[in-house]
């Protein structure tokens, strides 16, 4: 539909609209033709025990009843993962309230952490974790109408943070587990764990990357400056895809689990992979209209800027203490969004995006709504109530989510007393409206 814009994506963390919080009535929001969900860091733990001891990763009860404080829907700021009641409530909310979803981007970490030394994960349990997410999608959504596109997280492998060069057993197993999703899993996936999925008759594409082949904690691989290393081959594939998109005048989203750097500006990729990746997405920023990651459980932004004289690109991320006075905001070419998770490190959250469906701007991001659950309240009343945490256009005063729009927001951020900066800092840890 010409001129219509809309896209939903949930960052599994909060899912219900409360008119008291932002002055909107849920039943008056008009959802337009296209939408998508964006889901991150689910970490479903089938062994989570309500009223257990968080120091045992919520897997066991303490003989001291005072320590058994794990809530029905999870517990904040502990190493415990996501219980079934929170997962079920999240998917039920999505099915009940967002029926015309276009597609779902899932940035990985389907499987529980391997933190419990008394309850080590097995390879079968890892594969069962992947099957469980597919089963949820099949149960709650019509896969003939909605495309679900997962990426690999750093906890989705047989060994935490470690993934060998493909082809390997994980990729071959996932190609079978993900078969009901009807994805474009070619030899690139079997060899590298990444794939391209075209949307709306090839009007734009989602490039689902395997950030484990860039991640510096993956000690099984060489850096990207080594010819034929797993990361170097993925970068070659990515550049071909971006070059083709530019030639075909087709926009793309990039989805992966681990961002290039965290909110403290620590580089998360190996040195050569990091440098090459930033240069590549900067060079092709004209065709990248969305860049989605998870991993940190925080709601943060990072910006790619251009040094036009040197034809080089840099990246910086924003946290609570970042000083913006030295940033050339006029040189922003791309914004990277990192979204919070359903896993209750902070309050669970999901995000609903809107994108343009006009001919020349198909896929360009227009807005997003972030929903959240007050986990303390949910555990007290026995019900997960989803509310709007914030709407990007209203909170940051934006007409769309392009690089120029974010550059204007950065100018507002330069003042530590600005309302927009205070809002950004508050929402980093999903602190509510």
């Amino acid at each position: 539909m010409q001129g219509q814009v809309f896209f939903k994506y949930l960052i599994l963390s909060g899912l219900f609209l409360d008119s008291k919080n932002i002055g909107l009535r849920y039943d008056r929001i008009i959802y337009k033709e296209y939408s998508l969900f964006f889901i991150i860091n689910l970490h479903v733990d089938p062994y989570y025990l309500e009223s257990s001891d968080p120091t045992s990763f919520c897997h066991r009860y303490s003989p001291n009843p005072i320590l058994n404080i794990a809530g029905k829907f999870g517990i904040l700021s502990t190493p415990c993962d996501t219980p079934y009641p929170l997962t079920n409530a999240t998917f039920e909310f999505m099915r009940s309230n967002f029926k015309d979803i276009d597609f779902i981007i899932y940035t990985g970490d389907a499987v529980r952490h391997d933190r419990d030394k008394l309850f080590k994960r097995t390879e079968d349990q890892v594969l069962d974790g992947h099957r469980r997410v597919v089963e949820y999608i099949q149960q709650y959504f019509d896969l003939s109408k909605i495309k679900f596109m997962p990426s690999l997280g750093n906890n989705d492998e047989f060994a935490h943070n470690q993934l060998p060069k493909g082809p390997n057993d994980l990729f071959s197993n996932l190609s079978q587990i993900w078969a009901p999703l009807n994805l474009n899993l070619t030899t690139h996936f079997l060899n590298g764990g990444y794939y391209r999925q075209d949307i709306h008759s090839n009007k734009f594409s989602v490039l689902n990357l395997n950030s484990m082949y860039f991640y510096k904690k993956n000690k099984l691989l060489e850096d990207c400056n080594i010819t034929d290393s797993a990361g170097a081959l993925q970068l070659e594939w990515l550049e071909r895809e971006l070059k083709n998109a530019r030639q075909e005048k087709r926009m793309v989203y990039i989805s992966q689990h681990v961002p290039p750097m965290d909110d403290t500006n620590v580089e998360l990729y190996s040195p050569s992979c990091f440098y090459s990746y930033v240069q590549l997405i900067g060079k092709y920023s004209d065709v990248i209209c969305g860049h989605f990651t998870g991993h940190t459980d925080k709601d943060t932004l990072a910006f790619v800027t251009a040094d036009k004289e040197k034809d080089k690109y840099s990246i910086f991320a924003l946290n609570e203490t970042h000083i913006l006075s030295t940033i050339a905001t006029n040189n922003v070419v791309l914004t990277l969004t990192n979204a919070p998770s359903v896993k209750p490190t902070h309050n669970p959250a999901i995000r609903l995006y809107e994108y343009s469906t006009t001919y020349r701007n198909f896929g360009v991001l227009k807005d997003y709504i972030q929903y959240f659950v007050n986990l303390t309240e949910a555990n007290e009343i026995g019900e997960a109530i989803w509310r709007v945490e914030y709407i990007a256009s209203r909170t940051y005063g934006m007409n769309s989510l392009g690089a120029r729009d974010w550059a204007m927001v950065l100018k507002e951020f330069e003042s530590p007393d600005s309302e927009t900066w205070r809002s950004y800092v508050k929402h980093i840890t999903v602190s509510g409206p």
Side-chain angles (χ1 to χ4, degrees):
M1 184 182 300
Q2 293 286 336
Q4 295 284 344
V5 289
F6 187 75
F7 108 57
K8 300 175 191 172
Y9 84 59
L10 302 178
I11 300 185
L12 287 188
S13 99
L15 301 165
F16 204 74
L17 183 56
D18 186 343
S19 62
K20 295 180 181 178
N21 288 328
I22 58 170
L24 288 176
R25 287 183 54 82
Y26 178 60
D27 57 5
R28 294 180 62 185
I29 292 180
I30 300 174
Y31 294 116
K32 300 181 181 177
E33 185 173 357
Y34 297 118
S35 60
L36 74 86
F37 280 107
F38 172 58
I39 306 174
I40 69 170
N41 294 20
L42 192 54
H43 287 299
V44 182
D45 188 353
Y47 308 104
Y48 181 101
L49 295 175
E50 182 180 352
S51 300
S52 62
D53 182 0
T55 64
S56 71
F57 307 95
C58 297
H59 291 160
R60 291 173 291 279
Y61 300 108
S62 170
N64 182 352
I66 296 178
L67 301 179
N68 295 322
I69 59 174
K72 175 181 178 179
F73 295 101
I75 183 166
L76 295 170
S77 305
T78 72
C80 298
D81 284 319
T82 308
Y84 274 141
L86 178 58
T87 308
N88 295 339
T90 300
F91 277 97
E92 182 57 42
F93 173 83
M94 291 190 291
R95 177 173 63 180
S96 300
N97 294 281
F98 306 101
K99 298 184 182 300
D100 33 346
I101 299 305
D102 185 18
F103 58 92
I104 299 169
I105 293 177
Y106 184 85
T107 59
D109 270 6
V111 186
R112 70 177 176 94
H113 287 89
D114 192 19
R115 290 168 170 162
D116 191 344
K117 294 181 179 180
L118 300 180
F119 196 25
K120 298 294 292 181
R121 289 188 332 188
T122 66
E123 291 189 4
D124 286 342
Q125 288 174 349
V126 170
L127 296 177
D128 283 343
H130 289 290
R131 292 190 189 97
R132 192 174 300 112
V133 171
V134 173
E135 289 169 357
Y136 266 110
I137 294 299
Q138 289 179 297
Q139 177 182 352
Y140 286 93
F141 295 100
D142 184 350
L143 288 175
S144 68
K145 299 178 180 179
I146 297 170
K147 186 63 67 178
F148 179 78
M149 293 169 286
S151 301
L152 284 171
N154 65 309
N155 288 281
D156 287 334
E157 292 75 41
F158 297 139
H160 179 232
N161 288 334
Q162 307 306 305
L163 181 63
K165 186 177 181 180
N168 55 51
D169 289 343
L170 181 63
F171 295 160
S172 60
N173 275 283
L174 284 178
S175 67
Q176 299 176 44
I177 293 171
W178 290 355
L181 305 177
N182 297 312
L183 299 171
N184 184 36
L185 302 183
T186 65
T187 55
H188 295 299
F189 181 80
L190 291 174
N191 291 330
Y194 43 87
Y195 62 99
R196 163 184 157 184
Q197 194 70 41
D198 292 336
I199 305 295
H200 299 310
S201 301
N202 304 333
K203 290 183 178 179
F204 71 99
S205 305
V206 179
L207 304 181
N208 297 276
L209 303 185
N210 175 12
S211 58
M212 295 306 299
Y213 280 178
F214 299 146
Y215 194 32
K216 66 182 179 183
K217 290 187 177 181
N218 185 1
K219 302 304 182 183
L220 300 181
L221 301 178
E222 300 169 302
D223 203 346
C224 291
N225 58 340
I226 304 300
T227 303
D228 291 334
S229 67
L233 292 175
Q234 181 171 215
L235 286 171
E236 291 175 6
W237 175 84
L238 177 59
E239 183 162 23
R240 287 195 302 270
E241 289 294 340
L242 292 173
K243 185 179 295 185
N244 289 338
R246 179 182 282 170
Q247 292 173 348
E248 297 169 7
K249 298 182 176 7
R250 172 172 41 86
M251 304 300 285
V252 304
Y253 297 157
I254 291 178
S255 172
Q256 58 186 324
H257 182 68
V258 181
M261 62 169 40
D262 66 15
D263 61 295
T264 64
N265 283 281
V266 172
E267 297 176 9
L268 300 181
Y269 295 173
S270 298
S272 179
C273 294
F274 176 84
Y275 177 81
S276 298
Y277 185 77
V278 172
Q279 301 313 304
L280 187 58
I281 61 175
K283 177 181 178 181
Y284 288 96
S285 57
D286 58 309
V287 298
I288 302 170
C289 55
H291 189 291
F292 309 122
T293 56
H295 184 61
T296 68
D297 299 324
K298 291 184 177 182
D299 179 356
T300 55
L301 298 168
F303 301 89
V304 177
T305 59
D307 185 334
K308 297 179 181 179
E309 293 183 0
K310 297 181 179 179
D311 196 25
K312 299 289 185 182
Y313 299 92
S314 302
I315 186 172
F316 67 92
L318 289 181
N319 62 20
E320 298 94 327
T321 60
H322 199 78
I323 299 174
L324 302 175
S325 59
T326 61
I327 295 170
T329 57
N330 291 334
N331 294 334
V332 172
V333 297
L334 182 64
T335 303
L336 284 58
T337 57
N338 195 87
S341 65
V342 172
K343 175 185 170 294
T345 300
H346 310 293
N347 283 320
I350 60 173
R351 187 174 289 181
L352 178 69
Y353 272 94
E354 177 183 342
Y355 64 83
S356 173
T357 62
T358 59
Y359 176 74
R360 292 186 178 181
N361 296 312
F362 207 106
V364 173
L365 301 182
K366 302 297 292 184
D367 202 359
Y368 70 79
I369 305 173
Q370 184 149 296
Y371 301 89
F372 84 112
V373 161
N374 182 321
L375 196 66
T376 301
E377 175 194 64
N379 286 327
E380 288 177 352
I381 68 175
E383 180 184 3
I385 300 176
W386 305 91
R387 298 181 174 94
V388 170
E389 184 187 12
Y390 71 98
I391 300 175
S393 61
R394 296 189 175 203
T395 299
Y396 299 128
M398 307 174 73
N399 293 321
S400 65
L401 307 184
R404 292 182 179 178
D405 301 280
W406 281 116
M408 296 300 295
V409 174
L410 280 176
K411 290 184 180 297
E412 292 289 327
F413 284 172
E414 289 177 355
S415 171
D417 296 325
S418 73
E419 182 64 30
T420 51
W421 175 250
R422 288 197 297 269
S423 295
Y424 177 79
V425 170
K426 180 180 181 181
H427 296 317
I428 287 176
T429 53
V430 195
S431 297

